[in-house]
Amino acid sequence: LPVHAVNAKRLLPHQPSVEGGDPAPDDLDSPAIEAAALAIPTPEAERALQKGIWERPTSRSASAPYQAPKDGATVLRFDILLAHIMPPDGEDVKIKRYVVYELTVSQDGETPDTQPTKIERRYTDFRELYLGLKRQHPAELANKYFPAKVLMGNFKSELIGERSAAFEAFLTYVAGQSKLRDSEDFLRFLQHDELSRACQFLDERRHENAIPILENCFRLLNKIYMNRSRPVLLILCRLVAACTSSPVPHHAAERWALLALNRFDTLCDIDLLPLYIPLLHTCAHLWWQRGLDQKLITDRLTDMSKKGINTANTDSLMQAIHKLDPRTETI
């Protein structure tokens, strides 16, 4: 199991190892897991847990110098360094309390990832992912360990630490298996909650609230999938559409639009080509608003038209996205 050395940061409510990484029961006795998650908590840790916050005890190796992967490779890491109990003490006593795990995803290369992405998930979210994958891919999930439900002791520091280590190993295994990584269940686990919230904001014309969530979704998916994969390009186009939907474009609109144009430049996925022409029209209008030269974009549209491609597309970018991936946002 990798050493968990990425610094954790508490998210605001509105913000958004290897082979055999999913530990078998015997693996949970390994020294690495013992050091990272099953160490006996200090009195300070217990006091923190009483306040509703669990933090992974710092291991001796956490302060060791960073060791980059060999041969210029990158390593995808899933770390749970922080969890909190909801609702907090004294708030909404009628709601059953539960633990929220803060999952940090990073892609380390020659240097540690300077922009790790964070999302929050409950035990039920991890379990739903496990059961969904097991139904669809029983062979790949055969004999893979997943922490069972417990009737009592959900808020004990030891149990939270055990589950955190098991969740990390399970996600590392899933991300390393192409069938599991490319499944709808895994994609849903990664983005459904945040994307649904962002689309609700778009539906309410609250673009300034949707954009940070979409940016976080993009950075997360961009670490896990290929640059020109369907999930990455869909979320990127949705981000461009959100940035350009208001009469005054968002300050980051041009940056995301340039990235989208670059990603689509050599795209071979015929299923995603219906997004390209609306994207070009969106960018041409944005360039006009910003007083930028539109020639490269208009030349591209002209070239496509000469090849017999209908570029007089009446769909907006958001409408084109909605046809491929229907959500709640108004089109």
Side-chain angles (χ1 to χ4, degrees):
L1 193 71
V3 175
H4 307 288
V6 179
N7 292 326
K9 176 181 177 183
R10 179 71 182 272
L11 288 180
L12 296 175
H14 64 277
Q15 290 176 316
S17 298
V18 298
E19 175 63 26
D22 180 10
D26 292 341
D27 293 336
L28 291 179
D29 295 326
S30 70
I33 293 184
E34 290 292 334
L38 302 184
I40 298 174
T42 63
E44 290 77 10
E46 285 300 334
R47 282 196 292 271
L49 192 60
Q50 289 173 5
K51 296 179 181 179
I53 299 174
W54 172 89
E55 292 183 81
R56 165 162 289 143
T58 303
S59 65
R60 291 181 180 178
S61 54
S63 59
Y66 175 72
Q67 293 184 348
K70 296 181 180 179
D71 302 323
T74 59
V75 175
L76 185 65
R77 293 162 53 95
F78 298 88
D79 293 307
I80 298 176
L81 307 178
L82 186 69
H84 56 275
I85 299 171
M86 293 294 291
D89 278 332
E91 292 187 17
D92 221 334
V93 294
K94 296 180 181 179
I95 298 179
K96 184 178 179 181
R97 304 183 79 198
Y98 55 88
V99 178
V100 175
Y101 296 86
E102 182 183 284
L103 174 64
T104 300
V105 183
S106 55
Q107 192 176 51
D108 296 336
E110 292 183 1
T111 59
D113 192 342
T114 58
Q115 288 188 315
T117 307
K118 298 178 176 67
I119 56 175
E120 294 185 342
R121 295 294 182 266
R122 297 173 57 178
Y123 171 84
T124 52
D125 297 315
F126 290 98
R127 188 168 186 271
E128 183 179 308
L129 171 62
Y130 170 75
L131 294 176
L133 292 176
K134 194 171 183 179
R135 283 192 297 269
Q136 298 296 324
H137 306 281
E140 284 74 10
L141 270 293
N143 302 318
K144 291 299 174 184
Y145 171 77
F146 189 84
K149 282 186 173 182
V150 295
L151 297 178
M152 298 181 64
N154 280 339
F155 309 127
K156 287 186 176 181
S157 179
E158 294 90 343
L159 179 65
I160 295 175
E162 277 186 45
R163 284 183 166 181
S164 296
F167 293 155
E168 291 167 351
F170 175 61
L171 293 176
T172 300
Y173 174 75
V174 170
Q177 305 290 318
S178 59
K179 284 185 180 180
L180 305 181
R181 183 182 61 248
D182 296 336
S183 66
E184 286 297 322
D185 290 291
F186 189 43
L187 181 59
R188 178 182 176 84
F189 171 84
L190 293 172
Q191 73 169 8
H192 177 73
D193 290 355
E194 289 75 18
L195 187 52
S196 296
R197 195 182 325 134
C199 288
Q200 182 63 39
F201 283 134
L202 292 175
D203 193 49
E204 297 168 357
R205 299 295 188 265
R206 296 165 65 185
H207 303 93
E208 70 286 353
N209 296 95
I211 290 168
I213 301 173
L214 293 172
E215 288 177 330
N216 196 67
C217 285
F218 169 76
R219 292 189 177 103
L220 173 63
L221 298 186
N222 200 50
K223 295 179 192 295
I224 295 172
Y225 299 101
M226 299 293 288
N227 285 350
R228 291 175 172 82
S229 64
R230 179 186 176 93
V232 170
L233 290 181
L234 272 172
I235 196 71
L236 181 55
C237 283
R238 192 170 250 122
L239 179 53
V240 172
C243 287
T244 56
S245 292
S246 299
V248 178
H250 188 267
H251 65 84
E254 184 184 343
R255 174 164 57 90
W256 293 118
L258 280 169
L259 180 60
L261 288 174
N262 178 263
R263 294 284 177 92
F264 270 87
D265 192 41
T266 57
L267 182 69
C268 298
D269 189 341
I270 191 68
D271 292 336
L272 290 174
L273 286 179
L275 295 177
Y276 190 34
I277 293 173
L279 174 65
L280 288 170
H281 284 296
T282 298
C283 291
H285 184 67
L286 175 62
W287 267 227
W288 172 78
Q289 288 178 301
R290 294 285 170 85
L292 301 174
D293 187 0
Q294 308 167 52
K295 188 175 187 305
L296 288 177
I297 299 174
T298 55
D299 284 352
R300 182 62 175 148
L301 286 167
T302 301
D303 183 58
M304 294 174 71
S305 180
K306 289 179 179 178
K307 293 179 179 178
I309 300 173
N310 179 17
T311 59
N313 198 309
T314 57
D315 282 345
S316 69
L317 181 56
M318 191 62 81
Q319 288 172 328
I321 294 167
H322 194 81
K323 287 181 178 179
L324 292 177
D325 184 37
R327 297 282 172 172
T328 60
E329 71 269 51
T330 300
I331 59 172

